[in-house]
Amino acid sequence: MQKTIEKIFLKLKMNIDFLAIISIFGILIYRIDILRKVCKNICIYFITWYVDIDLVTIKNIYLCVEKLFRIIIATFLVIQFLNWLLELVWERWLKKQKGTNRFETSLLRYLQDSSIPRCFLVTGEWGTGKTYEVDKFFDKYFRYSKTKVYRISCFGLDSRKELVKEISNTIEQNDKSFYALLIKAMQFVPIIGGAIFKFFKKAYGYDSIKSGSIFIFDDFERITSRAIVKEKSPHLYKKTSFLLSNATRGKNSISEFKEIVKEFEHVGESFQKIENFFSYNLERTDIDKYNIAIGLINDIIEKYEMKVVIICNSEVLGEKFIYDILRSKLNCIEYRKIVLPEVRISVIDKCIKNKVLLDDEKQKIIKGFLNENIKYNIDNILFEGQFSNLRLYGNLLEAFIITADLFDKKDLTKEFMNSLFNSVMIAHIAFYDKAFDKLSIFPSGANIEFLMKLFYGGSPTLIRTQQRIDDVKWIDIKVSGYWIFNLSRPDESDSIVEEWKKYQYYETEEKISISFQELVDETNYNMLHVFYFQQSMDKYDKEGEWDYKTYVDCALKQYDLTRNEEVQYIVDIMSQIFEGRIYQNFFEYLFSKLIQGHENQEIIGTTYIHDMYNTYRLKKTLH
C-alpha cells in the first residue's frame, strides 16, 4: 500500500512539474507584449482563412485556460511544499537510524561520519548479491533524502576523461529540478530556444554538486577485461629437458650437437624475454587504469568531501590488489558480501515477476509451486555449492519456468513440477561440473537419488514435497536439459509425461536408496538395481556373499534379449557404472546370458567393459 501511494505521488509530481512549465509559458504569452502581438496576428490569420470566430471569443477562451494554468501552478507549489516537508521529516528520521544488520549499521555509520575522509568498499564473489544489497539499502534509507545518490558503472571506463564524462552525464540525468526541466523546455522555443538553452544550461560535474553527495561506483573490476591476479602465467616456451639431455648423450654427441643445444637455450631465453615484456606491460597498463580511477575517487572524497561506495568482484581483482590499491590508498571500510536465504527468496520473487507467460493460469500454477515448495526448501538449494552464486541460481529458476511452460497445465501437478525442478537442477549441476555424459541414459521416471548414487556415487540434496510421493522422478534429458544445453524444443511433451508416469520401478528405487538390502525382498527390478546392489556390496567387501545369479536371471526377464540393441544398452550402462572396477565372476555370468543368440554380433564401444564382453564372446565362440 505504501509503495503504491509513493508511486502515485511521484507520478503526480512529475506530471505537475511538466504542466507547470507549460502553464508558465501559457501565462507569459499573454503578459509579454511582443508575444501577445505575435499570437494576435496568428489568430487574425486563422480567423480570416479558416475559423469563423472573433478575437473576443478567443480572448475569453484563453482567460478561462489561464485560470487552469494558475490552478496548476498553485498545485505545483503545494506539491513542492509537501515534497520539501517530506524531505525534512525523512532527514530527521534518517539521522536516528542505526540499521537492522551489520551491513546497514556500518554503511550508515560511514555516511553519517564526516570526520575522516574514506570510502566504503563492498566486495564478494561473482553473483553474491553485492549490487542488490547496496540498491536495497539506498532505496530503504535515501529514496526521499535531500542527499543525492549517483550510480556510476565503471564498465570499460579506462581513462580519467571517460570516467569524468560518465560522472557528469549521470549527474545531469539525475537532475530532476524544476530549473533543469524549464531550461530543457526552452530549447523548443522557435528561433531563440537553442541559444537560450545553451546560455542558461547548467555545467554538470562532481565539482558543481553539493558536498556530502554519494557516488556508487559499480562494476569496478570491469575497468579492465583482464583479471589482476598475481600468479605466474604459463610460459610461451619451455625447454624440454629430456630432449636436450638426449642431445648430449653418447661418445661424440657433445661436439655434434653443441651448437643445437645453445640455439635451443637462446630460443628459450628469447621467448621468456618476450613473455616478460608483454606480461609486464599489460599488467602495468591495467594497474595504471585503476590508479587513474583511484586518483579521481580520492579527489572526490578528500577535496570535494563526497561519500563513495565501491562495489567490486574480489574474485577478479584478487585480494592483494584490493589491499594494495583500494584498502590502503583510499582508507576503505570493507564489507564482504555472502549469500543469505532472504536474498535468494527475493531472487525467486523477481524471477516470477519478470517472467510473463502466454497462459495466465499456467503462470499462476508455476508461481504457486515456487512460492510453496522452493521457498520452503531454500536451504536445500543453498547446500549446493554452484547455486550459492545468485546468477547461477537465477539461471536455474529461469530454466525451470521456461521448461515448465513447455507442458500443458493439466500435467503441471505438484509432483511433476517438483520432479521437473529436481531434474533441471541435476542437469545444471552436471553441466557446471562437466559431467553430463551419463544423463542421456537416465530412464525417465526413475528415482533421481537412486540414479545419482548409481552413476555418480552420491546424490545432492533434493527438493521434496511434504507427501514425498513421486516427487523426485527423473524427467527426460530432452526436457531437463532443454535450457542449459540449448536444445531444440521437444514436441512430444505428452509422450514424455506418459513415459514419466508409467515407470514401474520408482518404489523399488525409493527403498533401496535408503538401504540396498531392501532389494532382497523385491520382485520388481531390472539390471540397474542389480548393478546398484553389486556396487553397494562392494563397499562392504561382500562380493561373494550374495546370489547374483538369481538376481541377474530375474532382472533379465525385463528385457527382450533377442534384440541386439537391448544387449548393447545393458553393456553401455555397465561401462558408465563400473568405471575402473571389475567383478569377474559377476561380469562373466551376465555376459554368458547376454551372448545367447548373439555369438556373431559384436558390441560397439571402446571401454574396457565393451572389450571384456567382445573378448568373452569370441572366446566362447571359438570353444
Side-chain angles (χ1 to χ4, degrees):
M1 185 64 180
Q2 182 186 346
K3 286 281 186 182
T4 306
I5 294 171
E6 288 175 7
K7 285 180 180 178
I8 293 171
F9 177 77
L10 290 173
K11 193 171 183 179
L12 178 64
K13 182 179 181 300
M14 184 175 66
N15 290 330
I16 291 295
D17 286 352
F18 176 73
L19 291 173
I21 294 169
I22 295 175
S23 300
I24 289 170
F25 279 115
I27 292 172
L28 290 176
I29 283 173
Y30 189 74
R31 302 300 167 188
I32 298 174
D33 238 12
I34 298 173
L35 293 175
R36 186 169 66 248
K37 288 178 181 178
V38 170
C39 290
K40 183 179 178 181
N41 290 330
I42 292 171
C43 290
I44 291 170
Y45 176 79
F46 273 98
I47 289 169
T48 305
W49 294 101
Y50 301 104
V51 184
D52 186 16
I53 192 172
D54 56 24
L55 284 175
V56 176
T57 305
I58 293 175
K59 180 181 177 182
N60 290 334
I61 292 171
Y62 169 78
L63 292 174
C64 290
V65 174
E66 189 184 68
K67 289 178 183 178
L68 180 61
F69 288 157
R70 293 176 187 277
I71 291 170
I72 289 171
I73 292 172
T75 306
F76 165 77
L77 293 173
V78 170
I79 289 177
Q80 288 296 108
F81 173 75
L82 291 174
N83 192 60
W84 172 82
L85 193 63
L86 176 62
E87 287 179 351
L88 187 66
V89 173
W90 192 274
E91 289 299 322
R92 291 190 176 183
W93 171 81
L94 184 58
K95 287 178 182 178
K96 297 177 182 178
Q97 298 307 303
K98 302 297 181 184
T100 57
N101 54 50
R102 288 176 64 83
F103 171 71
E104 290 184 359
T105 302
S106 58
L107 186 48
L108 279 169
R109 189 185 300 126
Y110 161 70
L111 295 173
Q112 292 166 359
D113 180 18
S114 57
S115 58
I116 303 172
R118 52 171 62 183
C119 91
F120 193 91
L121 179 63
V122 181
T123 62
E125 295 180 1
W126 185 66
T128 51
K130 301 179 293 295
T131 302
Y132 169 83
E133 193 78 19
V134 172
D135 287 346
K136 182 182 171 184
F137 171 86
F138 281 102
D139 180 64
K140 180 178 179 180
Y141 291 105
F142 284 86
R143 67 176 179 273
Y144 294 122
S145 173
K146 291 188 292 184
T147 305
K148 296 295 182 182
V149 180
Y150 303 103
R151 174 177 295 282
I152 314 296
S153 174
C154 297
F155 189 85
L157 304 178
D158 58 358
S159 69
R160 185 184 178 97
K161 183 180 178 181
E162 288 180 355
L163 196 53
V164 169
K165 184 179 178 182
E166 182 67 21
I167 291 171
S168 300
N169 290 340
T170 303
I171 294 170
E172 183 176 2
Q173 289 166 10
N174 281 268
D175 186 2
K176 306 297 182 185
S177 64
F178 182 75
Y179 178 82
L181 290 172
L182 184 62
I183 296 303
K184 285 177 183 177
M186 291 288 285
Q187 65 184 315
F188 299 106
V189 176
I191 304 171
I192 60 171
I196 293 173
F197 174 74
K198 288 179 181 179
F199 184 79
F200 288 102
K201 184 186 176 184
K202 292 165 70 173
Y204 292 96
Y206 59 85
D207 54 349
S208 63
I209 59 175
K210 186 180 177 182
S211 62
S213 298
I214 301 166
F215 286 91
I216 303 171
F217 290 92
D218 200 358
D219 301 317
F220 198 73
E221 73 281 355
R222 298 190 183 186
I223 286 178
T224 175
S225 59
R226 280 163 41 92
I228 308 295
V229 181
K230 298 283 187 177
E231 293 179 358
K232 193 173 181 181
S233 58
H235 296 310
L236 294 173
Y237 173 82
K238 186 178 181 181
K239 286 195 298 185
T240 308
S241 57
F242 116 169
L243 174 63
L244 297 181
S245 62
N246 284 343
T248 59
R249 196 173 293 162
K251 188 173 182 182
N252 301 315
S253 60
I254 295 176
S255 58
E256 189 175 351
F257 295 108
K258 185 176 181 181
E259 294 301 321
I260 296 176
V261 172
K262 285 183 179 179
E263 191 64 28
F264 265 101
E265 290 174 350
H266 292 155
V267 170
E269 290 171 3
S270 300
F271 268 96
Q272 189 63 58
K273 287 177 182 177
I274 293 169
E275 180 184 345
N276 290 341
F277 173 80
F278 279 105
S279 180
Y280 173 80
N281 281 279
L282 284 171
E283 192 173 277
R284 186 69 259 164
T285 302
D286 290 337
I287 292 173
D288 286 345
K289 290 176 183 178
Y290 281 100
N291 282 332
I292 289 167
I294 294 300
L296 179 60
I297 291 170
N298 195 55
D299 280 349
I300 291 172
I301 294 170
E302 293 193 352
K303 187 176 179 181
Y304 299 100
E305 298 179 347
M306 306 294 181
K307 295 292 184 179
V308 171
V309 177
I310 297 176
I311 305 172
C312 70
N313 188 326
S314 54
E315 227 177 358
V316 173
L317 290 181
E319 295 296 338
K320 187 177 186 303
F321 178 82
I322 288 174
Y323 175 78
D324 291 342
I325 302 297
L326 290 171
R327 286 201 293 265
S328 59
K329 290 187 178 180
L330 290 176
N331 190 22
C332 288
I333 302 167
E334 183 180 3
Y335 174 79
R336 190 173 294 277
K337 183 73 179 68
I338 59 173
V339 178
L340 297 173
E342 53 265 30
V343 179
R344 288 176 165 277
I345 290 172
S346 71
V347 174
I348 294 176
D349 294 334
K350 185 177 180 182
C351 197
I352 293 171
K353 184 180 178 181
N354 292 345
K355 203 72 190 169
V356 180
L357 304 182
L358 187 63
D359 190 326
D360 185 56
E361 189 176 345
K362 188 188 292 186
Q363 180 147 4
K364 288 178 181 177
I365 293 171
I366 297 171
K367 177 182 177 181
F369 169 77
L370 288 173
N371 284 328
E372 291 174 20
N373 285 67
I374 304 308
K375 284 183 180 179
Y376 175 77
N377 287 284
I378 200 79
D379 291 335
N380 289 352
I381 306 171
L382 185 62
F383 181 76
E384 295 308 316
Q386 291 92 338
F387 302 118
S388 61
N389 184 309
L390 286 185
R391 286 186 176 89
L392 299 187
Y393 178 64
N395 289 349
L396 173 63
L397 296 172
E398 174 89 2
F400 168 73
I401 294 172
I402 290 175
T403 308
D405 189 37
L406 298 174
F407 296 91
D408 193 285
K409 54 178 174 282
K410 67 178 173 58
D411 296 321
L412 295 179
T413 61
K414 184 182 290 186
E415 293 75 23
F416 182 80
M417 286 195 292
N418 200 78
S419 294
L420 179 62
F421 188 91
N422 282 298
S423 299
V424 171
M425 183 171 72
I426 292 297
H428 279 238
I429 292 171
F431 176 81
Y432 298 135
D433 290 342
K434 296 180 176 62
F436 46 81
D437 54 319
K438 299 177 182 180
L439 299 181
S440 60
I441 57 175
F442 278 19
S444 186
N447 184 287
I448 296 174
E449 183 179 358
F450 163 77
L451 291 174
M452 293 302 291
K453 287 180 177 179
L454 178 62
F455 286 94
Y456 291 95
S459 173
T461 305
L462 300 174
I463 305 299
R464 301 301 300 258
T465 61
Q466 291 182 346
Q467 291 77 19
R468 300 177 73 88
I469 300 172
D470 292 347
D471 58 347
V472 287
K473 296 176 71 174
W474 173 255
I475 297 177
D476 198 294
I477 187 62
K478 289 181 288 187
V479 171
S480 56
Y482 168 67
W483 191 92
I484 191 69
F485 296 118
N486 198 25
L487 302 176
S488 58
R489 182 187 177 95
D491 297 323
E492 63 281 11
S493 60
D494 290 339
S495 61
I496 289 170
V497 174
E498 284 304 310
E499 186 182 2
W500 177 83
K501 288 178 179 178
K502 289 179 180 178
Y503 188 77
Q504 57 180 319
Y505 307 111
Y506 179 80
E507 291 182 6
T508 300
E509 292 161 357
E510 184 90 325
K511 293 176 182 177
I512 64 176
S513 294
I514 299 170
S515 172
F516 73 95
Q517 293 178 340
E518 291 287 333
L519 188 66
V520 174
D521 299 322
E522 290 294 325
T523 56
N524 186 33
Y525 56 86
N526 65 16
M527 284 309 302
L528 285 177
H529 312 109
V530 176
F531 293 151
Y532 183 81
F533 196 96
Q534 176 63 68
Q535 265 191 345
S536 303
M537 289 290 292
D538 186 47
K539 293 178 183 178
Y540 297 97
D541 196 23
K542 296 180 179 179
E543 183 185 354
E545 295 185 13
W546 74 297
D547 184 13
Y548 58 82
K549 294 180 181 179
T550 302
Y551 288 95
V552 169
D553 291 343
C554 183
L556 288 177
K557 293 177 183 177
Q558 308 296 320
Y559 302 90
D560 181 8
L561 295 181
T562 60
R563 298 175 61 244
N564 196 53
E565 291 81 2
E566 292 278 71
V567 177
Q568 179 79 54
Y569 170 74
I570 293 171
V571 178
D572 287 344
I573 286 178
M574 289 177 68
S575 68
Q576 294 284 2
I577 295 171
F578 301 111
E579 295 176 329
R581 289 164 292 176
I582 298 175
Y583 306 99
Q584 192 72 31
N585 296 333
F586 175 71
F587 286 0
E588 286 187 355
Y589 182 77
L590 177 57
F591 292 160
S592 71
K593 296 294 182 180
L594 295 178
I595 67 168
Q596 293 177 14
H598 303 287
E599 290 82 357
N600 298 318
Q601 291 178 302
E602 188 178 41
I603 288 298
I604 301 169
T606 58
T607 69
Y608 78 94
I609 287 182
H610 289 91
D611 290 341
M612 281 183 69
Y613 175 85
N614 287 321
T615 302
Y616 181 85
R617 181 186 59 80
L618 287 172
K619 181 181 174 183
K620 290 297 179 182
T621 303
L622 292 173
H623 284 300

